[in-house]
Amino acid sequence: MTVLATVSPLLTALAIAVVVTALHRRVRPQLAAALLTGGILGVAVAVVPTLVVLAVGFLVHLPFLGGGFEWCRAALGFHASVNPWLGAAAAMTLAFGVVRVVRSVRAWRRHRCAEAGAPALVTSDDWFAYSLPGPGRRIAVSSGLVDALDGEELEVVLAHERGHARHRHDRQLLVAELAAGLVPPLEWLRRRLRFALERWADEEAVTAAGGDRERVAFTLAKVALGPSEAPRTVAAFNGLGVAARVEALLRPQPLRHEGFWTSTIGLGVVAVALAAAVQAHHVVALVVTLCPG
């Protein structure tokens, strides 16, 4: 097995995902979110095993550690040593990725809420509102935001967050956060997914406001101008792409040829999945060696 053969599925999956998901604004936010989540998962499945293979292929040839990895050499087919720079980079990426994943999981668990209830009022001068992750589907709102908005504006914010909570967007955000932690280039796709989820919740707020898109856009712009701070792992009202979201609310564009763009993105996600499947045989060989019989 050559290094090129090992890296090819990784590069293929990542390149396809980055290119096709750039079309996400040409389809409905709900559909875009589903396709982006699929693309993120596919890339992660392709990349993480590749990093493991490269890291282990590097470790088996280290002078003092290699003897403990003889079983890996037969399983992975690394009879020639991996480029030390490439192997070391893979090992370091995995190590730092695990640290980032642990931090993200801890942050997610701190905000997780399993019990349903009324929106929680947080004493803070910052302006924020976000849906808490977990099956409780609760919303947290700062006292500063409540004081700054009138009744109709506050209802827009709550409707937006109810949309996040109702559809459990926290699960997609967590998947993207963990994947981007392990595979830093996936940060591009994570931000695209977050934008799609925010646009989805914006449209939920429009429906709750009786179709008044201007009210939702005005409220979003107003909240964005205030002092705000929200955790990275939650779906916040003014979380990402405020200017583009306001424009989409005030100037909704007809979705021309949505079927074509959906098929294009869908085929790209399938191609990512195929690349991940090609990479999977390396992991299968490793598992078979570890678990004989």
Side-chain angles (χ1 to χ4, degrees), residues 199-280:
R199 282 287 302 119
W200 184 350
D202 287 343
E203 295 301 325
E204 295 269 323
V206 170
T207 300
D212 192 344
R213 305 184 72 86
E214 289 187 2
R215 188 201 309 173
V216 176
F218 176 82
T219 303
L220 175 58
K222 180 177 179 178
V223 175
L225 292 174
S228 62
E229 182 178 358
R232 176 183 168 96
T233 53
V234 300
F237 180 69
N238 56 338
L240 182 70
V242 172
R245 289 163 57 197
V246 168
E247 183 178 2
L249 286 166
L250 295 178
R251 301 176 182 176
Q253 299 295 322
L255 298 175
R256 297 186 178 89
H257 312 297
E258 186 182 23
F260 170 78
W261 296 117
T262 300
S263 300
T264 301
I265 300 174
L267 287 173
V269 173
V270 170
V272 170
L274 290 175
V278 170
Q279 183 59 49

Side-chain angles (χ1 to χ4, degrees), residues 178-211:
L178 299 182
L182 289 170
V183 187
L186 281 178
E187 177 65 18
W188 292 337
L189 272 67
R190 186 197 70 83
R191 292 179 63 84
R192 289 173 181 174
L193 172 61
R194 191 174 187 112
F195 179 83
L197 294 176
E198 294 301 335
R199 282 287 302 119
W200 184 350
D202 287 343
E203 295 301 325
E204 295 269 323
V206 170
T207 300

